[in-house]
Every structure is written in structure tokens, then in C-alpha cells.
Amino acid sequence: MNTNTIDGQQKAAILAEALPYIRSFADKTVVIKYGGNAMTDPDLKEGFARDVVLLKLVGINPVVVHGGGPQINELLARVGKQGEFIQGMRVTDSETMDIVEMVLGGLVNKEIVSLINKHGGRAVGLTGKDGGMIKASKMFLKGTSDEEQLDIGQVGEVADINPELVALLDSADFIPVIAPVGVGENGEAYNINADLVAGKLAETLKAEKLVLMTNTPGVLDKSGKLLTGLTPQKIDDLVADGTLSGGMLPKISSALDAARAGVPSVHIIDGRVKHALLLEILTDVGVGTMIRAK
């Protein structure tokens, strides 16, 4: 048996392995938070776009929510501003909010849409302001005491999501690509953490799976070992002892809330791995941390 035959058989075996997953997820919604290196490395960007198109073509309904932290930081630096974070959240004054909207709703969103369309998909770019899809309220962070509240500017939390626009696009075989900018009661824009938007959207759409892409293998303990099957109690312990901090906090909070709200499968995966999305959804290979409600 020659090498080409062996390689062909291996590829066929991989395709066969995907069949039960394709059947299981057929016509189901998968919400994907796209971020980290997968958004900045050219090869990973192309691979992500192809993977999303493949998911759509085999009958799964992907909905993409993206971040854009590095790109925002780059533009802030150009105008002489320094990005500031508190508890993993970007402090957002009015000038920073203008830049956030330009980067997320313009540059980043349109690049993702273009890449998906280039590979045969039909992507449509949106922000939460379109059609009043994501209603936002001002977020305050807890200070050092229970009474203290930290004002971090035009940073919002999701008050409500109207799923009609996303459902309409799905029904017409479009792929929604959503920038996490919400709208307040008076029409003001709010910068919302993309992990939080993805989690709430997964809940609202009754998604079959929520996948959060990041720059680590998943949730790691203090010795660097990958943790999976995390429960609320275990997560509380990891936060209390400082294992989980910074940018991982909103990810964990979003994942846990979605699991508690009934999203059957919630995963934090390593977006630096080629085809991480396909590995997580269509194979037996796990590439991250699973979050359980109990």
C-alpha cells in the first residue's frame, strides 16, 4: 500500500468520524466568540474563515461574535492614548468609545466578513446597534468594599438581546458576524466585552454550543495543567485563590452563565491551534476546557 493510499484512508477516517457530530448539530446554532491570536495571525485568520464556511455547508448555523483588543490598542497608541483595564474590562471614555466603534464595527468586522465570503460563505456584518439588537446598560465594577462601585466609562452589560435579525439571517443561510457594541436607552453606544455578548447571545438563541476562543490551551491550574469539566464551585475556588484573574474572568463568567441558562455545551478553546473550531465541534479531540452547570 503506497503512502498516498494511507494518507487517503486517514483523511476518509477523519471525515467518517465527523459524521455523528454533523448529524447531532444539523440545523443547530453554534455561537463562536472569535478572538486572540486567531484574529491576528494571517494563516489562522484564513483557517478560521474556512472552518466557519465548512460548518455552514454541513448544515450547522454558526454565529460569530468577535473582539478586537489588539487592533483597538494599536489605534489608541496612534492617537497617543494608553489602554487601561480593570478586572479584565477596558476603561472606555468617549474618545476611546469612538475608536472602539471604528475598529470593531468597521475595520475588524468587515475583514472577518470579507474572509468568510472569500471562502464561499455568505457573511453579514452587524453591531449590536443594528436594529436595536443588543440593548445595553451601564456597567459598574465592584470596588474593594461591597458599597464601592467603579465607573469605567461607556462600558456596558447586556440588558436584552432581540434575536430576530440573527434568526432571519440564519434562515436565509447567511452567517452573522457581530461586533459587541450595544445601544443604551438614549441611543448612546456601549463597549461590551465580547465574551459576555457571546454568552448572552447563546442563551437567547438557545444555541447547542458556545465556543470561546482564547490564547491559552483553556483554563489552567497554577502548575499549568489544563482543567476541564469545571463546575461553579471549582470556578469559585480558582477565582478565590487567584488562579483565575484578568481577562479570563469575563470568559469564565460568560461560560458559566450560559451553562446555567441551559446551553448544553460550553467550551473555552485554544484559538492558536489550527482548525481548533473543527476539532472541537466535529471530532473526538478536545482542545480546551468544558464548563458544566453542575
Side-chain angles (χ1 to χ4, degrees):
M1 188 176 295
N2 64 40
T3 303
N4 288 339
T5 301
I6 294 172
D7 288 345
Q9 288 179 337
Q10 289 174 338
K11 290 175 182 178
I14 292 169
L15 290 171
E17 181 184 320
L19 179 59
Y21 295 97
I22 293 172
R23 185 186 300 121
S24 176
F25 291 124
D27 207 30
K28 301 288 180 60
T29 297
V30 174
V31 175
I32 304 153
K33 188 281 177 140
Y34 176 46
N37 279 29
M39 284 188 67
T40 56
D41 180 279
D43 288 340
L44 292 175
K45 287 196 290 187
E46 293 280 350
F48 174 81
R50 285 194 298 267
D51 292 351
V52 168
V53 172
L54 190 151
L55 291 176
K56 189 68 175 179
L57 289 175
V58 298
I60 298 169
N61 296 321
V63 176
V64 178
V65 178
H66 65 83
Q71 294 91 336
I72 293 169
N73 288 339
E74 183 181 339
L75 190 51
L76 284 173
R78 286 189 198 174
V79 299
K81 290 180 71 71
Q82 180 70 38
E84 181 185 356
F85 291 84
I86 298 177
Q87 297 175 29
M89 297 293 183
R90 182 184 296 276
V91 178
T92 308
D93 60 19
S94 60
E95 186 181 18
T96 301
M97 187 67 234
D98 289 341
I99 289 172
V100 167
E101 282 204 84
M102 281 191 291
V103 172
L104 294 183
L107 177 68
V108 174
N109 188 272
K110 300 316 172 192
E111 181 185 34
I112 298 167
V113 167
S114 294
L115 281 172
I116 292 173
N117 291 344
K118 169 186 169 183
H119 290 289
R122 298 202 301 162
V124 175
L126 306 165
T127 78
K129 294 173 76 174
D130 290 314
M133 178 172 56
I134 301 176
K135 301 291 187 184
S137 57
K138 186 176 176 65
M139 173 183 281
F140 292 92
L141 299 180
K142 288 184 179 179
T144 53
S145 66
D146 290 340
E147 293 78 21
E148 184 183 10
Q149 288 189 319
L150 303 179
D151 187 340
I152 52 175
Q154 286 179 248
V155 178
E157 50 192 346
V158 177
D160 184 60
I161 293 182
N162 184 337
E164 291 180 4
L165 184 54
V166 173
L168 182 64
L169 291 170
D170 273 344
S171 69
D173 286 333
F174 289 100
I175 300 170
V177 178
I178 301 168
V181 175
V183 59
E185 287 186 357
N186 298 313
E188 67 275 33
Y190 280 104
N191 178 22
I192 310 178
N193 181 277
D195 298 303
L196 300 183
V197 170
K200 292 298 183 184
L201 191 59
E203 295 175 28
T204 304
L205 294 173
K206 302 188 185 311
E208 187 70 17
K209 186 185 283 283
L210 167 65
V211 179
L212 305 173
M213 301 178 74
T214 186
N215 276 347
T216 70
V219 179
L220 308 177
D221 66 15
K222 287 188 173 179
S223 65
K225 180 183 176 183
L226 180 67
L227 300 173
T228 190
L230 290 180
T231 61
Q233 182 58 57
K234 180 61 176 175
I235 290 169
D236 288 343
D237 294 343
L238 293 171
V239 172
D241 70 12
T243 301
L244 296 178
S245 60
M248 187 57 79
L249 291 176
K251 270 186 183 31
I252 286 289
S253 174
S254 171
L256 190 54
D257 286 349
R260 284 173 167 158
V263 178
S265 182
V266 181
H267 296 265
I268 298 174
I269 68 170
D270 192 345
R272 300 169 302 177
V273 175
K274 285 187 177 181
H275 304 299
L277 201 55
L278 297 186
L279 287 169
E280 185 58 57
I281 296 174
L282 298 181
T283 78
D284 297 330
V285 179
V287 289
T289 297
M290 182 177 72
I291 309 294
R292 299 199 312 254
K294 298 180 181 179

